[in-house]
Amino acid sequence: MSAVAPVLVPALLLSGCAIRTVDPEPPSTAALTGAAFTQGRRWNGAAAARDRDGEWWRGFADPVLDGLVDEALRGSFDLRRAAAAARAAEARTRSARGGRLPALSAGMSATRSFATPGVGLGLSQTQGLPRVYVNTFEPSASISWQTDLFGRLRATERREAATWLATEEDYAAARQTLIAGVVRQRVTTSVSRRRLQIARSIIDSRRQTLGIVERRYERGVGGTSLVDLRLARENLAAAEAAAAPLALEMTQAVHALDELLGRKPGTTRADLSLLAELPDLAPPPRTGVPAALLDARPDLRAAALRHTAAQADVDIAVAARYPDLTIGGALGWRTEEFDDLLSTSALFGNIVGELAVRLFEGGRLQSDIDAARALLEQQAAAYAAAVLGAVREVEDALVAERRLRQQLTASLTQRAEAREAEELARSRYSRGVDALLTVLETERRRANAEDAVLRVQGSIWNARIDLHLALGGRWSAEPETAAETATP
């Protein structure tokens, strides 16, 4: 022990001198101030408790959607790519952890050589002398350990671990994005199908109107003119033209859904009948406090972890300016007889301590530190911007759904009145009371009102999807507290 003490004791004493040069906490932002979201106070629902199961789409109570999401989670190539990235980052973390442990290696060499006795004598004098063969066996084992005096290896492990956890959060975010994409295409497909159905019913209605005008024109009833006939035909053609882009929109939505499901685009055609209706949405609950987003949203957790990794990079760059101490040793046997391979008389060994200091590299070491600190500032700014954007997304989703529901109420009234006006105008025209232009105008207004209702309903669904993503998943209702009841 006395022989190795001069090397090991200083190493053990200094191995805890890790360098930490930065604040380990990510920066705080003004977005997290306040007891509640501004727009969240305007809803009168129950308070929200975060549901951490990650299956927020099941709250829509849509069996068709449940099956589509389950299939997408099994077949998505984007998820497979994110999962592979996480596995690679985990492997790099294990590699960095292994770098802090001693490295042990072993080897075995065998040599056979020969010599001729009497070398230096004349040729005639050495003729007939036998050659002498020598076998040499040399097994050996060596061990080396980098003591990590100033924490460079530990900082490397922290960086790789934080990067690994960030890629795990990237996977969670990709999963949420995939689910949201499936729900959106479900909504788009359903809304497009219903809009197409309404457009076809409008075509049938305008075809009936054209029939009435044609009969009245042929009979010369009520002063029906050729202009009336042309206008009725134009009205029908306009309805037919409006149906074409709706059919295209529905087909493209199905193709996009197939891609998300991992199917060949166009194979969901047989399932269209299952996508005809959308369940109603209940009003959202209260949404908690902005600071809860830090724990709920995977993208924010990933941003915080990347800030941690950037901190470790600074520590790595600073530690590179300090000495590295590597302790190594070797143990071996050298013998000419295999039977004496492990004999103590053939034993040899050594222990070595190597201290390396980087004295001058043309300013590269300080430049590496400056670059690492700048990248840390970049990650801090990215984290703060992500938090600010997350709070904005929640506020936008809340106000969007509230305003869209107000719009839907007005649109439903508009549709009801337009339907009544169309029926009344057609009846009055058939009796010769109103002109054809009144009928055509009411038909146009009713078509616009029908389409507006469906588009607003789809927008409400998309706003609810945005709210789920903004809040980081699903919520479940719980009774309000006294403080929440008192919130204006």
Side-chain angles (χ1 to χ4, degrees), residues 8 102 283 308 321 343 423 466:
L8 288 180
T308 300
R321 302 186 63 177
S343 172
E423 292 296 327
D466 291 339

Side-chain angles (χ1 to χ4, degrees), residues 19-319:
I19 296 174
R20 297 303 302 272
T21 62
V22 291
D23 185 355
E25 295 297 327
S28 60
T29 69
L32 301 180
T33 60
F37 291 98
T38 303
Q39 299 297 331
R41 298 189 182 118
R42 300 178 182 272
W43 289 100
N44 294 320
R50 192 73 58 234
D51 185 349
R52 300 304 301 276
D53 61 7
E55 297 184 347
W56 54 268
W57 74 91
R58 299 193 188 279
F60 293 146
D62 180 13
V64 174
L65 180 59
D66 292 345
L68 294 175
V69 171
D70 290 342
E71 182 177 352
L73 292 176
R74 292 192 304 268
S76 171
F77 291 102
D78 289 337
L79 277 190
R80 295 180 189 179
R81 179 177 57 188
R87 291 195 302 272
E90 180 186 7
R92 287 191 294 269
T93 302
R94 294 197 307 269
S95 176
R97 186 177 299 121
R100 295 179 56 193
L101 301 176
L104 178 65
S105 61
M108 173 69 179
S109 65
T111 305
R112 180 174 175 83
S113 59
F114 68 90
T116 301
V119 174
L121 300 176
L123 180 60
S124 61
Q125 295 175 302
T126 60
Q127 289 179 348
L129 294 178
R131 289 180 178 177
V132 178
Y133 290 89
V134 178
N135 297 323
T136 303
F137 302 95
E138 189 174 331
S140 63
S142 64
I143 185 171
S144 65
W145 173 48
Q146 191 168 348
T147 58
D148 196 23
L149 296 182
F150 298 96
R152 181 177 60 84
L153 297 180
R154 276 166 286 176
T156 301
E157 183 180 348
R158 286 199 309 274
R159 178 191 64 193
E160 297 300 338
T163 302
W164 166 33
L165 295 177
T167 58
E168 293 280 0
E169 298 299 341
D170 290 340
Y171 174 84
R175 184 177 184 273
Q176 296 293 339
T177 301
L178 173 66
I179 294 169
V182 172
V183 181
R184 290 189 198 280
Q185 294 307 321
R186 162 81 167 101
V187 171
T188 301
T189 304
S190 276
V191 171
S192 298
R193 179 178 175 83
R194 293 174 66 183
R195 290 177 68 192
L196 184 58
Q197 290 173 338
I198 294 297
R200 287 170 176 168
S201 70
I202 290 172
I203 290 173
D204 293 338
S205 176
R206 294 187 180 182
R207 188 173 286 115
Q208 293 175 3
T209 300
L210 176 59
I212 295 173
V213 174
E214 287 176 338
R215 289 191 295 271
R216 290 173 62 88
Y217 177 74
E218 291 172 356
R219 299 172 184 173
V221 177
T224 304
S225 65
L226 182 60
V227 174
D228 292 338
L229 182 60
R230 296 290 186 184
L231 288 175
R233 290 174 177 172
E234 185 276 336
N235 210 35
L236 174 60
E240 292 172 340
L246 295 178
L248 174 62
E249 178 182 317
M250 184 181 69
T251 302
Q252 290 176 335
V254 172
H255 291 170
L257 180 60
D258 283 336
E259 181 183 8
L260 292 173
L261 298 178
R263 300 177 181 176
K264 178 183 177 181
T267 57
T268 310
R269 188 173 306 167
D271 299 334
L272 286 179
S273 60
L274 301 176
L275 303 172
E277 297 296 332
L278 290 172
D280 293 330
L281 294 178
R286 292 189 180 181
T287 52
V289 297
L293 294 179
L294 300 182
D295 182 56
R297 288 187 47 149
D299 59 331
L300 297 186
R301 297 196 297 266
L305 288 165
R306 288 192 168 90
H307 180 266
T308 300
Q311 292 169 334
D313 278 332
V314 176
D315 292 340
I316 293 170
V318 173

